[in-house]
Amino acid sequence: MISIIGSGRVGTAIAFLCISNSLDDVLLVNRTKNKALGEALDISNAIPENSHVSIHGTDDFSKISGSNIVVITASTGIYLKNRTEMMDAQVKMIKEIANQIKKYCPSAIMLIVSNPLDVLTFVFQKETQLSRNKVIGIASSLDSSRFRYVLSEKFNIKQSQITDALVMGEHGDSMVPIFSRVKINEKNISDIIDEAEKKIISTEIQNYWKSLRIFKSRSQFGIAKNTYDVIRSIIENDELIIPASIVLNGEYGEKDIAMGIPVKINKDGIKEIIEIELNESENKLLKTSAQTIRDYIKSL
């Protein structure tokens, strides 16, 4: 069973993908019971005719018992300026959820989607003392999807012509697009654009969510699909390599923080942390991003 904590736009979009693709039973948990019930009733009509899956809604945390995967999308409000503006309230919320997880399904693999993503991934892992390989922050893969989209628009090409568009570090203003690995039609992007253009593209990726909010209140489908891909990888034991946030223990020279780095995911959660070679500029930016996250954690 997949339990999704939070029945807002992101949680329900993830639930819809899981149900419409018959991945597994889904339980929506929301502090407002009627919201969870209503969304479950709606999504239940997307169950394929011959499918074995089901979806239900509740406000009762005890019903998550036996879950294989728990996804946390809950939020205490809507951030407007940056992802850390409700950090204290969000940390309090994640600690409360962590206590419920410890009580009812301590063996589940945890996917954190709520913001500030890296801080909450770190706090949750420390609060529950679950293996760090079972606490996965989903966001850097979304930033990487946005990186790929921005490049496709700039060069007026299909996204399929772009490979290795990777974003690491914080899911926030200090995120680090890794230009040194990107190829367009097998040609290294560093041979095509200069440093000034890289900076413009980086800023566009960092501010993508703000641009999106000019047209709608918040994003939902991109993060839902990226989260669904991880859930499917775990359930079907189909190895997936993506950037995701994990508590570090010396990798990339960092510890006592969580941030987005390349990982390999399978049925056990994070099977392997992948350390890639970065150029001097990217290493420096990643250090700055790590320190930004560390400062947020210290401020709690």
Side-chain angles (χ1 to χ4, degrees), residues 81-84 170-177 202-203 206-207 209-210 289 292 296:
K81 296 178 181 178
N82 62 67
R83 296 178 177 94
T84 60
E170 180 199 14
H171 180 52
D173 293 343
S174 71
M175 68 178 67
V176 186
S202 295
T203 301
Q206 290 156 2
N207 292 330
W209 69 274
K210 295 177 184 177
S289 191
T292 299
Y296 284 138

Side-chain angles (χ1 to χ4, degrees), residues 275-291:
E275 294 202 56
I276 61 172
E277 188 175 338
L278 306 175
N279 65 31
E280 185 179 347
S281 171
E282 291 162 349
N283 267 314
K284 186 176 180 181
L285 288 170
L286 196 62
K287 287 287 180 189
T288 300
S289 191
Q291 189 58 49

Side-chain angles (χ1 to χ4, degrees), residues 123-139:
V123 170
F124 185 92
Q125 194 274 326
K126 295 304 175 187
E127 193 75 12
T128 58
Q129 288 298 301
L130 294 176
S131 163
R132 65 178 181 143
N133 297 326
K134 285 192 165 189
V135 180
I136 308 169
I138 312 295

Side-chain angles (χ1 to χ4, degrees), residues 119-189:
V119 173
L120 296 190
T121 300
F122 178 84
V123 170
F124 185 92
Q125 194 274 326
K126 295 304 175 187
E127 193 75 12
T128 58
Q129 288 298 301
L130 294 176
S131 163
R132 65 178 181 143
N133 297 326
K134 285 192 165 189
V135 180
I136 308 169
I138 312 295
S140 293
S141 59
L142 172 64
D143 297 325
S144 301
S145 297
R146 291 172 172 178
F147 188 11
R148 196 166 58 247
Y149 172 77
V150 169
L151 290 175
S152 73
E153 289 292 293
K154 177 179 175 59
F155 291 101
N156 193 28
I157 58 175
K158 301 290 186 184
Q159 292 191 44
S160 58
Q161 294 171 259
I162 302 164
T163 52
D164 295 322
L166 170 70
V167 176
M168 295 173 62
E170 180 199 14
H171 180 52
D173 293 343
S174 71
M175 68 178 67
V176 186
I178 307 300
F179 286 92
S180 63
R181 299 176 66 85
V182 182
K183 288 184 174 61
I184 294 179
N185 292 326
E186 300 302 318
K187 187 173 184 179
N188 196 302
I189 196 172

Side-chain angles (χ1 to χ4, degrees), residues 38-195:
E39 296 293 357
L41 282 171
D42 190 4
I43 295 169
S44 69
N45 301 148
I47 298 173
E49 184 177 356
N50 298 319
S51 176
H52 64 278
V53 302
S54 65
I55 181 167
H56 296 93
T58 186
D59 61 353
D60 182 359
F61 262 96
S62 70
K63 292 187 177 179
I64 69 173
S65 179
S67 299
N68 306 106
I69 299 169
V70 177
V71 186
I72 301 176
T73 68
S75 179
T76 56
I78 301 172
Y79 57 89
L80 300 173
K81 296 178 181 178
N82 62 67
R83 296 178 177 94
T84 60
E85 62 191 56
M86 301 180 300
M87 185 164 64
D88 289 343
Q90 290 288 92
V91 167
K92 181 182 177 185
M93 176 197 74
I94 207 81
K95 287 183 175 181
E96 291 170 354
I97 294 172
N99 287 328
Q100 301 285 2
I101 299 299
K102 284 192 290 185
K103 186 174 181 180
Y104 294 115
C105 56
S107 62
I109 294 173
M110 304 300 311
L111 306 184
I112 314 293
V113 179
S114 305
N115 283 305
L117 188 280
D118 305 286
V119 173
L120 296 190
T121 300
F122 178 84
V123 170
F124 185 92
Q125 194 274 326
K126 295 304 175 187
E127 193 75 12
T128 58
Q129 288 298 301
L130 294 176
S131 163
R132 65 178 181 143
N133 297 326
K134 285 192 165 189
V135 180
I136 308 169
I138 312 295
S140 293
S141 59
L142 172 64
D143 297 325
S144 301
S145 297
R146 291 172 172 178
F147 188 11
R148 196 166 58 247
Y149 172 77
V150 169
L151 290 175
S152 73
E153 289 292 293
K154 177 179 175 59
F155 291 101
N156 193 28
I157 58 175
K158 301 290 186 184
Q159 292 191 44
S160 58
Q161 294 171 259
I162 302 164
T163 52
D164 295 322
L166 170 70
V167 176
M168 295 173 62
E170 180 199 14
H171 180 52
D173 293 343
S174 71
M175 68 178 67
V176 186
I178 307 300
F179 286 92
S180 63
R181 299 176 66 85
V182 182
K183 288 184 174 61
I184 294 179
N185 292 326
E186 300 302 318
K187 187 173 184 179
N188 196 302
I189 196 172
S190 296
D191 298 332
I192 304 171
I193 60 174
D194 59 23
E195 292 303 316

